[in-house]
Amino acid sequence: MAIHEKSLIEPERLLQYDDLVVDGVDVSGHWNTMITPRTLRDYDEDFEKTIQSYGGGEYVHRCWQCGSCTNSCTMYAQNTQFNPRYWIYLTRLGLKEELIKDKDIIWQCVSCNKCTNICPKDVRPEGVMKALAHWMEDEGITEKSPSTHFDEEFADQIFKTGRIEDSHVLMHFFKKTGQPLMQGWLVEFGKRMTKGLPIAQMLRMGLNMLFPPKTKSWGRTGEVLQQYVREQKEAAHG
Amino acid sequence: MQNTVLVVGGGPAGLSAAATVSASGFDAVVVEKEEVLGGAPILSGYAKLVPSGEWAKDAIGRMVTRVVDDANVTIHTAAKVTRLEGEPGNFTATLSNGETVSAGAIVLGTGFTHFDPINKPEWGFGTFEDVLTTTQMEQMVGAGEIRCPSDGRVPQRVAILLCVGSRDRQIGREWCSKICCTVSSNLAMEIKELSPETDVFIYYMDIRTFGLYEDKFYWKSQEEFKTKYVKARIAEVTASGDGRLLVKGEDTLVKRPIVIPFDLVVHAIGMDPNEDNPDISRVFGVGLERHGFIARAEHYTNSCGTTRQGIYSAGAAYGPETIDDSISQGHTAGARAVADLYALVRKAG
Ligand SMILES: Cc1cc2nc3c(=O)[nH]c(=O)nc-3n(C[C@H](O)[C@H](O)[C@H](O)COP(=O)(O)OP(=O)(O)OC[C@H]3O[C@@H](n4cnc5c(N)ncnc54)[C@H](O)[C@@H]3O)c2cc1C
Ligand code: SF4
Ligand code: SF4
Ligand code: SF4
């Protein structure tokens, strides 16, 4: 039978052949529409451990699905698809594919911690949201958030030179996040800052921009630091 | 003048009733239908008990020894009461072994019968070797090794299905068996302890680990032993073709059908009324409540009473009960029986 209420079904679950003849009968198009079942066929026991290895995800296994977090959630009030309780359940059973379906909203958690304050099992759902968002970034499921880009740029410069050159951080951050370099507020900021600044100071700033200074005797410190961070990450996430 | 209380059933309830009677200076006669004393925990070979964590054979064994070593207690095993005559204060019971017992009061500690999951064929018991009951699983824990009966492999995954033979109008079981949630979370921890590579999943409708069993068993099994609780009443257990079992149902929290492979499926079987209850009701002239358990008298001023004066009851005979509470009730019933004997003494005096 033709299926008419297709709008109720996720598009990837609809199977349909444009041209199909069965026993000499033409059943092309909607006459052969089938729906693939939504059955869950397995759990992934290791996934919970993966999320627990991210900061904030440590207590996810305590959850007993009372729904207090979702009920209290700032984002849930905006969008009922934003459901920390549900994502915690999927995490616990390792239903990764279901989780990835919500990749475009999970990161929207505003860290208000209302959930943290109400959770009777002290799961700290806000931390779990953070852990999930980081896992998705690491797996390339979601793009890196602007704040992740900023953090990385910041750290990169420290590793390289042992210090921060503000203008470089900003420039690279703008580039990575696809923003124009000349932004009205920045130009205005530059203008006002340089007004009344002694020439020598201005020269030094200009030079620093062209030839970023290094912390004295930084040497291999950056490399060692970078390796330490890498090792810590590996130890946590395997 | 009557010095004797007849105690029927030698489980936790009956054993404590007998101990109280003797401690009060009277005689107890215990009539137990099986060859050994101890009731379900001994007859079915339970492992570590809730909530003490003591092995059943040690804890209940102590109760048995206390009564066996007591000169004021006479024991008839492999015997039942076939006829009861007389009245409160002066009963005469005829036993199946031909003996008679005169008693001033009676305590029925006749307990329960385990639900037989053959009555729920869709859950695979009796069809698949790797579908077991909690009592069989307790015995496996007692033996110290977790293996699939079919081929002896260590199970990667175990599913415990709750409420098997409880809370099910389809099979006329409209009660909660009270202890199986706690027993199952305890079992999940025992399995994990013996077989750390095994993951245990518990399929539930509600988790009823009442009172202090909440954190000690439910939380602990979840938080320390990584037991996963999945909210689904399983519809069917089938074979997967590769030697594993498939557990089918609806995961109500994600609103999705599930078909999940498992190596071992355990039925948390419930507590049925003792299958002897129709006979017990007829022989002793006590009423049964609507599920078939022994009807409890008004509890506030007639604790551990039945519908017949002079006959008391205790423990799982009244309905699903824990061992600890069965023991307390046994002592209460014993004390009520002793009080009746004292009343007789005073009347005679
Ligand atoms: C799998 C499982 C695990 C459990 N584990 C625990 C636990 O860890 N902790 C806990 O608190 N509870 C546990 N329970 C509950 C526990 O079994 C009961 O609380 C307890 O057995 C009740 O004691 P009882 O003396 O009232 O009855 P029973 O233990 O049933 O004893 C009744 C006795 O009476 C005898 N009898 C019956 N009919 C007659 C008759 N007509 N004439 C003569 N004798 C008769 C029986 O043979 C038996 O010996 C468990 C139950 C199950 C099903
Ligand atoms: S911290 Fe995030 S998940 Fe928790 S209530 Fe706030 S928005 Fe919701
Ligand atoms: S409030 Fe806590 S226990 Fe309840 S569903 Fe949320 S995370 Fe789980
Ligand atoms: S104690 Fe738990 S498993 Fe047993 S019947 Fe009640 S709800 Fe079901």
Side-chain angles (χ1 to χ4, degrees):
Chain A
M1 204 185 80
I3 296 164
H4 301 290
E5 294 298 343
K6 287 185 196 162
S7 59
L8 299 176
I9 302 158
E10 295 137 332
E12 69 270 18
R13 293 177 45 234
L14 287 169
L15 290 182
Q16 184 173 306
Y17 297 95
D18 291 340
D19 298 298
L20 189 68
V21 179
V22 175
D23 293 341
V25 182
D26 185 354
V27 288
S28 295
H30 71 262
W31 294 106
N32 70 51
T33 304
M34 302 278 274
I35 309 170
T36 53
R38 301 178 73 228
T39 308
L40 300 174
R41 302 211 159 261
D42 213 348
Y43 300 140
D44 175 353
E45 285 98 337
D46 296 329
F47 184 60
E48 181 181 74
K49 286 186 207 116
T50 304
I51 295 305
Q52 284 180 314
S53 73
Y54 283 85
E58 294 86 344
Y59 299 115
V60 66
H61 65 291
R62 290 179 175 175
C63 174
W64 62 13
Q65 291 290 300
C66 66
S68 301
C69 49
T70 297
N71 181 58
S72 70
C73 176
T74 305
M75 288 308 296
Y76 178 70
Q78 307 295 320
N79 173 6
T80 51
Q81 295 303 307
F82 192 99
N83 192 331
R85 183 220 25 98
Y86 177 63
W87 295 325
I88 286 169
Y89 196 65
L90 299 180
T91 303
R92 297 220 55 216
L93 295 181
L95 303 172
K96 255 190 274 189
E97 267 137 57
E98 298 304 306
L99 201 61
I100 292 169
K101 283 185 187 162
D102 289 332
K103 67 178 168 40
D104 295 329
I105 46 176
I106 290 178
W107 61 268
Q108 293 173 358
C109 165
V110 296
S111 292
C112 62
N113 275 305
K114 284 190 191 169
C115 53
T116 312
N117 287 323
I118 206 148
C119 171
K121 278 293 236 54
D122 198 16
V123 170
R124 311 189 195 165
E126 185 266 348
V128 181
M129 295 301 103
K130 225 185 271 172
L132 284 175
H134 282 156
W135 171 75
M136 287 190 173
E137 278 183 16
D138 281 358
E139 295 292 306
I141 294 161
T142 47
E143 299 202 334
K144 284 181 187 165
S145 67
S147 65
T148 304
H149 279 303
F150 193 87
D151 289 351
E152 284 180 1
E153 186 52 43
F154 204 90
D156 268 1
Q157 283 201 23
I158 295 276
F159 293 145
K160 271 194 214 125
T161 63
R163 59 203 278 180
I164 303 296
E165 180 53 36
D166 295 342
S167 54
H168 281 259
V169 174
L170 263 188
M171 257 157 53
H172 291 158
F173 172 67
F174 283 165
K175 213 157 109 196
K176 281 189 178 162
T177 51
Q179 302 184 53
L181 284 183
M182 285 300 151
Q183 304 196 20
W185 68 268
L186 187 60
V187 174
E188 189 60 28
F189 177 73
K191 266 197 220 152
R192 288 194 199 173
M193 192 174 69
T194 46
K195 210 194 259 170
L197 211 65
I199 301 285
Q201 180 73 9
M202 257 184 6
L203 260 176
R204 231 177 77 206
M205 275 175 67
L207 271 176
N208 282 357
M209 240 167 117
L210 291 177
F211 310 103
K214 242 186 179 185
T215 295
K216 268 201 199 100
S217 66
W218 185 240
R220 285 190 59 240
T221 319
E223 258 169 68
V224 173
L225 205 58
Q226 205 162 4
Q227 190 183 339
Y228 175 75
V229 171
R230 204 166 39 233
E231 279 169 9
Q232 287 296 307
K233 258 197 177 161
E234 268 161 23
H237 307 317
Chain B
M1 142 78 244
Q2 260 305 346
N3 281 324
T4 305
V5 173
L6 170 62
V7 176
V8 187
L15 292 172
S16 33
T20 291
V21 171
S22 164
S24 311
F26 291 87
D27 297 330
V29 176
V30 177
V31 178
E32 162 60 50
K33 71 171 174 180
E34 300 294 339
E35 301 278 348
V36 291
L37 295 177
I42 295 298
L43 295 169
S44 296
Y46 295 172
K48 288 185 202 156
L49 294 181
V50 166
S52 66
E54 252 197 273
W55 287 93
K57 58 181 189 314
D58 299 333
I60 308 297
R62 244 178 4 251
M63 297 185 69
V64 172
T65 316
R66 173 177 62 172
V67 164
V68 169
D69 291 349
D70 190 329
N72 295 332
V73 181
T74 311
I75 295 162
H76 298 272
T77 49
K80 283 188 185 184
V81 175
T82 52
R83 211 166 53 164
L84 184 73
E85 287 161 309
E87 59 209 43
N90 191 16
F91 290 115
T92 304
T94 309
L95 309 189
S96 54
N97 60 13
E99 307 220 13
T100 56
V101 178
S102 299
I106 298 172
V107 175
L108 299 174
T110 42
F112 70 104
T113 299
H114 289 96
F115 174 76
D116 184 352
I118 227 78
N119 296 318
K120 279 302 250 188
E122 62 271 37
W123 288 334
F125 184 83
T127 309
F128 306 114
E129 277 181 280
D130 294 337
V131 178
L132 305 173
T133 63
T134 31
T135 51
Q136 291 173 314
M137 208 59 209
E138 296 256 3
Q139 289 160 18
M140 200 189 280
V141 167
E145 213 178 31
I146 307 298
R147 300 274 176 176
C148 295
S150 63
D151 58 2
R153 70 183 191 280
V154 174
Q156 274 170 34
R157 255 190 215 164
V158 176
I160 304 180
L161 317 186
L162 296 189
C163 306
V164 173
S166 307
R167 308 176 71 201
D168 188 346
R169 193 165 267 154
Q170 292 297 336
I171 48 168
R173 266 81 174 176
E174 298 184 6
W175 59 85
C176 162
S177 291
K178 195 168 178 177
I179 190 70
C180 15
C181 275
T182 314
V183 163
S184 298
S185 53
N186 189 39
L187 209 47
M189 294 192 276
E190 291 177 313
I191 292 171
K192 193 82 183 168
E193 225 159 39
L194 287 172
S195 181
E197 65 270 45
T198 304
D199 288 306
V200 187
F201 292 74
I202 293 184
Y203 288 92
Y204 70 97
M205 293 196 289
D206 311 89
I207 298 294
R208 301 184 170 179
T209 44
F210 53 99
L212 302 184
Y213 298 170
E214 177 75 4
D215 61 339
K216 184 162 182 179
F217 295 98
Y218 178 19
W219 294 27
K220 191 172 174 195
S221 72
Q222 190 190 38
E223 297 180 4
E224 287 173 41
F225 289 80
K226 303 287 146 68
T227 308
K228 300 229 164 104
Y229 288 82
V230 184
K231 192 159 183 353
R233 184 169 174 94
I234 293 310
E236 201 185 359
V237 176
T238 59
S240 74
D242 63 354
R244 297 182 92 189
L245 298 162
L246 291 176
V247 163
K248 301 185 180 180
E250 193 220 2
D251 186 320
T252 58
L253 290 173
V254 294
K255 294 194 280 187
R256 294 281 292 276
I258 52 173
V259 180
I260 309 291
F262 278 95
D263 301 295
L264 209 59
V265 172
V266 182
H267 289 186
I269 49 168
M271 298 168 82
D272 270 2
N274 182 346
E275 59 194 357
D276 291 354
N277 275 1
D279 278 343
I280 291 171
S281 167
R282 190 176 41 77
V283 170
F284 292 92
V286 295
L288 304 180
E289 53 86 70
R290 67 185 194 91
H291 306 96
F293 293 99
I294 297 205
R296 201 186 269 277
E298 169 275 314
H299 188 68
Y300 303 97
T301 61
N302 188 5
S303 312
C304 289
T306 64
T307 56
R308 186 167 178 194
Q309 203 195 334
I311 302 187
Y312 302 92
S313 186
Y318 275 139
E321 196 50 274
T322 64
I323 292 172
D324 288 10
D325 286 346
S326 298
I327 291 171
S328 310
Q329 290 173 24
H331 288 302
T332 304
R336 293 290 320 271
V338 165
D340 281 4
L341 300 189
Y342 270 117
L344 290 174
V345 174
R346 235 183 280 138
K347 217 156 91 187

